[in-house]
Amino acid sequence: MAATSPSAASSSSSGGSGGNPAEGEMAAATAAASAACACPICLESFQDEAYLDTCFHSFCYKCICQWVKIVSSKRVEPLSSVKCPLCKTVNVSIIHGFDGESFERHYINQYPRKRHLSDSHELISQFYSIRDITSNTSNVQQFWKQGKYLRKNIWLHTWLRQEIQALTQDENVDAIIYHIHGVIESFIKRQEKEHASKTTPPEKKRAEFKRLLLDAARPFLLGRTERFVAEVELFLVSHLNIDAYSKLRVQRLKESTSHVSREQDVLPQDRSLEDHYLYLLGDETDCNGEI
């Protein structure tokens, strides 16, 4: 049986044109606010609110886990990712139990490698899910124009370790760090020799640095390589220690997630929970029956 919404009840009790317009607007606003705080799957208030890690759409943890289970049942092989039921963006994990300082992460594949990494690594990994990052362009230009890249960064090796551990979800990254850090040091040593002559424009030096770093990191970081290279440059430009830079990134993360809109499909109110899942699956299955 279809549930009667607050706005519908208000409209019928007010007798149509005889109602108070202000009360009608208030009822509509209340209904809109309630919808914004409702899980788009069960249409109830959030219970253990959970977020998908790329698009940040939110659901009840139990509801989105059930969604993953239904999608998984239509595949022969285990899932390694799942499309959001609202925007179809591919996500690899579900984040829930967030209390302002820490959170739990449920990976779609159900069989993640054994992890002994800290909450800080999880926050770093989450940060790399943000599509757009902001940076002070003038600071970057000055960094290369004024030769600030020649300054030794005593925190770089340790910073690279925590970044790569977070991105690979593996503690043993010594070989990767040795390779990437070695490429950066070799580049700086060459620039020290060429700095006096100043024959190479700063733009070309920056482009060479990014190209070398991309080539060095891509075999290990795959799709996150370009973002990693951008973060390496921003860390070097900031010339902050690891703790200070981490605080700066947390602020960037907060600013980014605060602008994420929760655009949720409007579902008919008379659907059962099972029907909602089937409705959301919709065009999730292509002509070959694959998700």
Side-chain angles (χ1 to χ4, degrees), residues 24 36 51 54 56 86 114 118 159 174 187 193 251 253 283:
Y51 301 85
T54 301
F56 291 102
L86 297 184
K114 190 174 182 181
S118 66
W159 183 84
D174 289 345
F187 171 82
K193 294 179 180 179
Q251 183 60 38
L253 177 61
D283 59 343

Side-chain angles (χ1 to χ4, degrees), residues 13-226:
S13 64
S14 62
S17 60
N20 186 325
E23 291 180 356
E25 292 177 2
M26 184 178 297
T30 301
S34 298
C37 297
C39 169
I41 293 178
C42 69
L43 303 181
E44 301 290 342
S45 298
F46 287 113
Q47 298 294 324
D48 188 9
E49 188 172 7
Y51 301 85
L52 292 174
D53 66 355
T54 301
C55 65
F56 291 102
H57 277 123
S58 55
F59 310 85
C60 296
Y61 180 59
K62 183 177 180 180
C63 289
I64 192 61
C65 286
Q66 180 67 16
W67 158 263
V68 173
K69 184 177 179 180
I70 291 174
V71 173
S72 181
S73 68
K74 297 179 177 293
R75 296 289 297 269
V76 177
E77 298 180 354
L79 291 177
S80 60
S81 63
V82 70
K83 292 180 181 178
C84 172
L86 297 184
C87 66
K88 311 306 178 188
T89 298
V90 175
N91 297 266
V92 299
S93 67
I94 301 167
I95 297 166
H96 70 113
F98 183 72
D99 62 6
E101 295 182 355
S102 62
F103 58 86
E104 295 181 36
R105 178 173 249 172
H106 171 101
Y107 283 83
I108 303 300
N109 58 20
Q110 297 288 331
Y111 301 104
R113 284 175 292 177
K114 190 174 182 181
R115 293 174 173 83
H116 299 287
L117 303 179
S118 66
D119 286 344
S120 63
H121 288 95
E122 292 289 359
L123 285 171
I124 292 169
S125 180
Q126 180 65 16
F127 180 79
Y128 275 85
S129 298
I130 302 174
R131 295 177 184 177
D132 301 316
I133 55 175
T134 57
S135 61
N136 190 317
T137 304
S138 62
N139 285 349
V140 174
Q141 291 175 341
Q142 290 179 12
F143 177 79
W144 291 100
K145 186 176 181 179
Q146 298 176 8
K148 294 181 179 179
Y149 54 87
L150 298 175
R151 298 178 183 174
K152 184 174 179 60
N153 190 308
I154 61 175
W155 305 287
L156 179 60
H157 191 277
T158 303
W159 183 84
L160 286 172
R161 176 178 295 279
Q162 71 172 19
E163 295 293 302
I164 296 170
Q165 283 179 333
L167 291 173
T168 61
Q169 290 294 300
D170 195 349
E171 286 184 301
N172 186 14
V173 294
D174 289 345
I176 304 176
I177 295 171
Y178 179 82
H179 179 58
I180 293 176
H181 192 260
V183 167
I184 295 173
E185 285 195 323
S186 296
F187 171 82
I188 293 175
K189 287 179 180 179
R190 288 198 307 274
Q191 298 309 314
E192 286 174 344
K193 294 179 180 179
E194 299 174 6
H195 183 63
S197 61
K198 297 183 179 180
T199 56
T200 306
E203 295 80 8
K204 287 190 175 181
K205 291 183 179 182
R206 182 189 182 194
E208 181 187 0
F209 172 79
K210 298 182 77 170
R211 179 183 60 79
L212 290 171
L213 200 51
L214 280 167
D215 291 343
R218 185 171 285 113
F220 310 103
L221 305 182
L222 304 176
R224 288 181 165 180
T225 304
E226 290 189 9

Side-chain angles (χ1 to χ4, degrees), residues 220-282:
F220 310 103
L221 305 182
L222 304 176
R224 288 181 165 180
T225 304
E226 290 189 9
R227 181 58 184 279
F228 168 75
V229 171
E231 282 299 320
V232 171
E233 182 182 50
L234 289 177
F235 176 68
L236 292 173
V237 169
S238 74
H239 208 66
L240 297 171
N241 62 33
I242 295 174
D243 288 340
Y245 189 71
S246 295
K247 291 178 181 178
L248 178 64
R249 288 210 298 192
V250 167
Q251 183 60 38
R252 286 162 59 190
L253 177 61
K254 289 179 179 178
E255 291 174 356
S256 175
T257 54
S258 67
H259 290 86
V260 175
S261 61
R262 296 177 178 176
E263 298 176 355
Q264 301 176 339
D265 291 351
V266 178
L267 302 179
Q269 298 293 317
D270 58 349
R271 292 182 184 272
S272 67
L273 182 56
E274 181 179 358
D275 288 338
H276 284 316
Y277 280 116
L278 295 176
Y279 175 87
L280 289 170
L281 277 168

